[in-house]
Amino acid sequence: NQRVHRFVTAPSTGRCTGVEMADGSLIEAGVAVVNASGPWFNKLNSTVGLSLSTTALPTRIQVGHKWIPDEYCSLPFVADGWGPSGIYFMPRAANNQLVFGSVAHRFESEIVDPDAYNASLDPDVKQDYLNCLFHRLPNLPREGEIVGFSSMYTVNQDDVHPMIGETRVAGLWACNGFSGHGFKLAPAVGSLVAQQITGAKTDAWETGVPHDFMGPYREPLSLKVKTHFA
């Protein structure tokens, strides 16, 4: 495994024809190149001078884990949308762990360099999470080690929706900015990108979303609430 260093374009047409890897080797694309590189999205786009109409930035997200007794392992996924805490939690019954975090904006607004960020759980954030968690689960045992980590979302700062479609660099598709919604949108996004690139559509399991709805040069979508949780 190694990183993609840059996109490669044809000198005569400007069309994206593949990628150059970190070791200098080239991988040619038969049909299209899709930039689905998550937090490294902008760094790769910059190799061909590409910008879009909305901005997706790598955003640090922190998550904690706590031991729970068996009676808590049957809890459903819960997210507190009532108060300002935004706390969410979900059990992992196989190892008696409760995974928890928050969708409150104050916990999901730290823009980072994807190549240089703190991958740990901050002590102050851990304590804030625990205060919110015990408020919603007052009988949850306090004992047990709290562990955690940080990773990244790529958050569209304008409308928290992905940008999907061919860019102004012919042959280069954008597929990024999922803002924490990616695992739910993935089946439809796969269908959408396949339709765009191939111009074909199968008889089943296809999305009917218009191809330009989340296009890379759209106007930001009008939303009542912008959140990383939907």
Side-chain angles (χ1 to χ4, degrees), residues 127-147:
Q127 189 57 57
D128 203 340
Y129 280 178
L130 289 174
N131 292 341
C132 298
L133 181 65
F134 290 132
H135 177 69
R136 287 302 176 203
L137 294 173
N139 295 323
L140 185 68
R142 263 57 171 178
E143 67 269 14
E145 182 183 10
I146 309 297
V147 296

mmCIF file of all heavy atoms in Angstrom, residues 127-147:
data_model
loop_
_atom_site.group_PDB
_atom_site.id
_atom_site.type_symbol
_atom_site.label_atom_id
_atom_site.label_comp_id
_atom_site.label_asym_id
_atom_site.label_seq_id
_atom_site.Cartn_x
_atom_site.Cartn_y
_atom_site.Cartn_z
ATOM 1 N N GLN A 127 -14.285 13.885 29.592
ATOM 2 C CA GLN A 127 -15.075 14.221 30.770
ATOM 3 C C GLN A 127 -16.411 14.843 30.387
ATOM 4 O O GLN A 127 -17.445 14.557 30.996
ATOM 5 C CB GLN A 127 -14.295 15.180 31.672
ATOM 6 C CG GLN A 127 -14.943 15.405 33.027
ATOM 7 C CD GLN A 127 -15.156 14.102 33.782
ATOM 8 O OE1 GLN A 127 -14.203 13.357 34.021
ATOM 9 N NE2 GLN A 127 -16.394 13.797 34.139
ATOM 10 N N ASP A 128 -16.403 15.674 29.372
ATOM 11 C CA ASP A 128 -17.651 16.283 28.899
ATOM 12 C C ASP A 128 -18.603 15.209 28.387
ATOM 13 O O ASP A 128 -19.802 15.205 28.688
ATOM 14 C CB ASP A 128 -17.337 17.298 27.802
ATOM 15 C CG ASP A 128 -18.423 18.356 27.650
ATOM 16 O OD1 ASP A 128 -19.560 18.120 28.099
ATOM 17 O OD2 ASP A 128 -18.149 19.430 27.090
ATOM 18 N N TYR A 129 -18.066 14.268 27.605
ATOM 19 C CA TYR A 129 -18.875 13.155 27.119
ATOM 20 C C TYR A 129 -19.487 12.372 28.290
ATOM 21 O O TYR A 129 -20.671 12.026 28.282
ATOM 22 C CB TYR A 129 -18.028 12.195 26.290
ATOM 23 C CG TYR A 129 -17.754 12.601 24.864
ATOM 24 C CD1 TYR A 129 -16.945 11.802 24.050
ATOM 25 C CD2 TYR A 129 -18.289 13.750 24.302
ATOM 26 C CE1 TYR A 129 -16.680 12.140 22.731
ATOM 27 C CE2 TYR A 129 -18.026 14.097 22.993
ATOM 28 C CZ TYR A 129 -17.215 13.288 22.215
ATOM 29 O OH TYR A 129 -16.963 13.622 20.914
ATOM 30 N N LEU A 130 -18.659 12.074 29.279
ATOM 31 C CA LEU A 130 -19.139 11.271 30.416
ATOM 32 C C LEU A 130 -20.224 11.998 31.186
ATOM 33 O O LEU A 130 -21.206 11.379 31.629
ATOM 34 C CB LEU A 130 -17.972 10.920 31.335
ATOM 35 C CG LEU A 130 -16.983 9.895 30.775
ATOM 36 C CD1 LEU A 130 -15.789 9.743 31.716
ATOM 37 C CD2 LEU A 130 -17.661 8.545 30.554
ATOM 38 N N ASN A 131 -20.075 13.302 31.366
ATOM 39 C CA ASN A 131 -21.122 14.063 32.057
ATOM 40 C C ASN A 131 -22.445 13.935 31.318
ATOM 41 O O ASN A 131 -23.502 13.737 31.930
ATOM 42 C CB ASN A 131 -20.717 15.530 32.166
ATOM 43 C CG ASN A 131 -19.542 15.758 33.091
ATOM 44 O OD1 ASN A 131 -19.228 14.911 33.928
ATOM 45 N ND2 ASN A 131 -18.886 16.891 32.955
ATOM 46 N N CYS A 132 -22.391 14.058 29.993
ATOM 47 C CA CYS A 132 -23.615 13.942 29.186
ATOM 48 C C CYS A 132 -24.158 12.516 29.209
ATOM 49 O O CYS A 132 -25.379 12.306 29.279
ATOM 50 C CB CYS A 132 -23.325 14.364 27.751
ATOM 51 S SG CYS A 132 -22.793 16.078 27.544
ATOM 52 N N LEU A 133 -23.248 11.543 29.158
ATOM 53 C CA LEU A 133 -23.660 10.150 29.141
ATOM 54 C C LEU A 133 -24.356 9.768 30.445
ATOM 55 O O LEU A 133 -25.430 9.153 30.426
ATOM 56 C CB LEU A 133 -22.442 9.260 28.915
ATOM 57 C CG LEU A 133 -22.686 7.752 28.837
ATOM 58 C CD1 LEU A 133 -23.525 7.410 27.613
ATOM 59 C CD2 LEU A 133 -21.348 7.003 28.791
ATOM 60 N N PHE A 134 -23.772 10.127 31.585
ATOM 61 C CA PHE A 134 -24.364 9.770 32.876
ATOM 62 C C PHE A 134 -25.659 10.543 33.147
ATOM 63 O O PHE A 134 -26.506 10.094 33.917
ATOM 64 C CB PHE A 134 -23.363 9.999 34.003
ATOM 65 C CG PHE A 134 -22.218 9.028 33.986
ATOM 66 C CD1 PHE A 134 -20.911 9.465 34.099
ATOM 67 C CD2 PHE A 134 -22.450 7.670 33.836
ATOM 68 C CE1 PHE A 134 -19.850 8.567 34.079
ATOM 69 C CE2 PHE A 134 -21.403 6.756 33.812
ATOM 70 C CZ PHE A 134 -20.105 7.212 33.935
ATOM 71 N N HIS A 135 -25.814 11.687 32.502
ATOM 72 C CA HIS A 135 -27.078 12.414 32.619
ATOM 73 C C HIS A 135 -28.207 11.618 31.975
ATOM 74 O O HIS A 135 -29.334 11.593 32.486
ATOM 75 C CB HIS A 135 -26.953 13.790 31.961
ATOM 76 C CG HIS A 135 -28.213 14.585 31.968
ATOM 77 N ND1 HIS A 135 -28.766 15.096 33.122
ATOM 78 C CD2 HIS A 135 -29.048 14.951 30.956
ATOM 79 C CE1 HIS A 135 -29.877 15.753 32.832
ATOM 80 N NE2 HIS A 135 -30.071 15.664 31.520
ATOM 81 N N ARG A 136 -27.904 10.965 30.846
ATOM 82 C CA ARG A 136 -28.927 10.176 30.149
ATOM 83 C C ARG A 136 -29.023 8.746 30.682
ATOM 84 O O ARG A 136 -30.073 8.109 30.548
ATOM 85 C CB ARG A 136 -28.621 10.144 28.643
ATOM 86 C CG ARG A 136 -28.901 11.472 27.959
ATOM 87 C CD ARG A 136 -30.332 11.888 28.134
ATOM 88 N NE ARG A 136 -30.615 13.200 27.572
ATOM 89 C CZ ARG A 136 -31.628 13.961 27.960
ATOM 90 N NH1 ARG A 136 -32.427 13.540 28.924
ATOM 91 N NH2 ARG A 136 -31.825 15.124 27.398
ATOM 92 N N LEU A 137 -27.940 8.244 31.284
ATOM 93 C CA LEU A 137 -27.943 6.899 31.872
ATOM 94 C C LEU A 137 -27.459 7.016 33.324
ATOM 95 O O LEU A 137 -26.338 6.613 33.656
ATOM 96 C CB LEU A 137 -27.025 5.964 31.075
ATOM 97 C CG LEU A 137 -27.430 5.639 29.639
ATOM 98 C CD1 LEU A 137 -26.332 4.838 28.949
ATOM 99 C CD2 LEU A 137 -28.745 4.881 29.596
ATOM 100 N N PRO A 138 -28.291 7.554 34.195
ATOM 101 C CA PRO A 138 -27.830 7.857 35.563
ATOM 102 C C PRO A 138 -27.421 6.627 36.368
ATOM 103 O O PRO A 138 -26.650 6.754 37.326
ATOM 104 C CB PRO A 138 -29.030 8.569 36.194
ATOM 105 C CG PRO A 138 -30.207 8.174 35.355
ATOM 106 C CD PRO A 138 -29.688 7.994 33.973
ATOM 107 N N ASN A 139 -27.908 5.450 36.017
ATOM 108 C CA ASN A 139 -27.560 4.239 36.773
ATOM 109 C C ASN A 139 -26.389 3.472 36.158
ATOM 110 O O ASN A 139 -26.023 2.405 36.659
ATOM 111 C CB ASN A 139 -28.784 3.312 36.871
ATOM 112 C CG ASN A 139 -29.901 3.932 37.676
ATOM 113 O OD1 ASN A 139 -29.666 4.622 38.674
ATOM 114 N ND2 ASN A 139 -31.149 3.707 37.246
ATOM 115 N N LEU A 140 -25.822 3.997 35.102
ATOM 116 C CA LEU A 140 -24.685 3.338 34.469
ATOM 117 C C LEU A 140 -23.507 3.302 35.446
ATOM 118 O O LEU A 140 -23.147 4.328 36.032
ATOM 119 C CB LEU A 140 -24.280 4.104 33.215
ATOM 120 C CG LEU A 140 -23.181 3.482 32.348
ATOM 121 C CD1 LEU A 140 -23.669 2.206 31.693
ATOM 122 C CD2 LEU A 140 -22.716 4.488 31.289
ATOM 123 N N PRO A 141 -22.900 2.133 35.668
ATOM 124 C CA PRO A 141 -21.764 2.053 36.592
ATOM 125 C C PRO A 141 -20.635 3.004 36.185
ATOM 126 O O PRO A 141 -20.309 3.129 35.011
ATOM 127 C CB PRO A 141 -21.319 0.594 36.480
ATOM 128 C CG PRO A 141 -22.535 -0.143 36.023
ATOM 129 C CD PRO A 141 -23.267 0.810 35.124
ATOM 130 N N ARG A 142 -20.049 3.646 37.201
ATOM 131 C CA ARG A 142 -18.976 4.605 36.941
ATOM 132 C C ARG A 142 -17.622 3.936 36.787
ATOM 133 O O ARG A 142 -16.709 4.510 36.182
ATOM 134 C CB ARG A 142 -18.892 5.600 38.098
ATOM 135 C CG ARG A 142 -19.600 6.933 37.912
ATOM 136 C CD ARG A 142 -21.057 6.834 37.610
ATOM 137 N NE ARG A 142 -21.702 8.155 37.659
ATOM 138 C CZ ARG A 142 -22.969 8.369 37.394
ATOM 139 N NH1 ARG A 142 -23.751 7.337 37.051
ATOM 140 N NH2 ARG A 142 -23.484 9.580 37.468
ATOM 141 N N GLU A 143 -17.459 2.750 37.353
ATOM 142 C CA GLU A 143 -16.139 2.131 37.330
ATOM 143 C C GLU A 143 -15.803 1.614 35.937
ATOM 144 O O GLU A 143 -16.667 1.454 35.083
ATOM 145 C CB GLU A 143 -16.063 0.982 38.344
ATOM 146 C CG GLU A 143 -16.944 -0.218 38.010
ATOM 147 C CD GLU A 143 -18.336 -0.124 38.619
ATOM 148 O OE1 GLU A 143 -18.714 0.979 39.070
ATOM 149 O OE2 GLU A 143 -19.047 -1.141 38.637
ATOM 150 N N GLY A 144 -14.533 1.341 35.754
ATOM 151 C CA GLY A 144 -14.063 0.817 34.477
ATOM 152 C C GLY A 144 -13.276 1.861 33.701
ATOM 153 O O GLY A 144 -13.550 3.063 33.778
ATOM 154 N N GLU A 145 -12.289 1.395 32.955
ATOM 155 C CA GLU A 145 -11.430 2.299 32.192
ATOM 156 C C GLU A 145 -12.180 2.882 31.007
ATOM 157 O O GLU A 145 -12.980 2.203 30.354
ATOM 158 C CB GLU A 145 -10.207 1.537 31.692
ATOM 159 C CG GLU A 145 -9.216 2.404 30.928
ATOM 160 C CD GLU A 145 -8.049 1.612 30.372
ATOM 161 O OE1 GLU A 145 -8.109 0.360 30.417
ATOM 162 O OE2 GLU A 145 -7.095 2.244 29.883
ATOM 163 N N ILE A 146 -11.941 4.153 30.742
ATOM 164 C CA ILE A 146 -12.492 4.817 29.568
ATOM 165 C C ILE A 146 -11.370 4.950 28.548
ATOM 166 O O ILE A 146 -10.311 5.519 28.839
ATOM 167 C CB ILE A 146 -13.028 6.221 29.907
ATOM 168 C CG1 ILE A 146 -13.981 6.173 31.109
ATOM 169 C CG2 ILE A 146 -13.698 6.831 28.683
ATOM 170 C CD1 ILE A 146 -15.218 5.365 30.889
ATOM 171 N N VAL A 147 -11.564 4.405 27.377
ATOM 172 C CA VAL A 147 -10.588 4.540 26.303
ATOM 173 C C VAL A 147 -11.260 5.216 25.113
ATOM 174 O O VAL A 147 -12.495 5.300 25.047
ATOM 175 C CB VAL A 147 -10.009 3.177 25.879
ATOM 176 C CG1 VAL A 147 -9.242 2.547 27.029
ATOM 177 C CG2 VAL A 147 -11.105 2.238 25.400
#
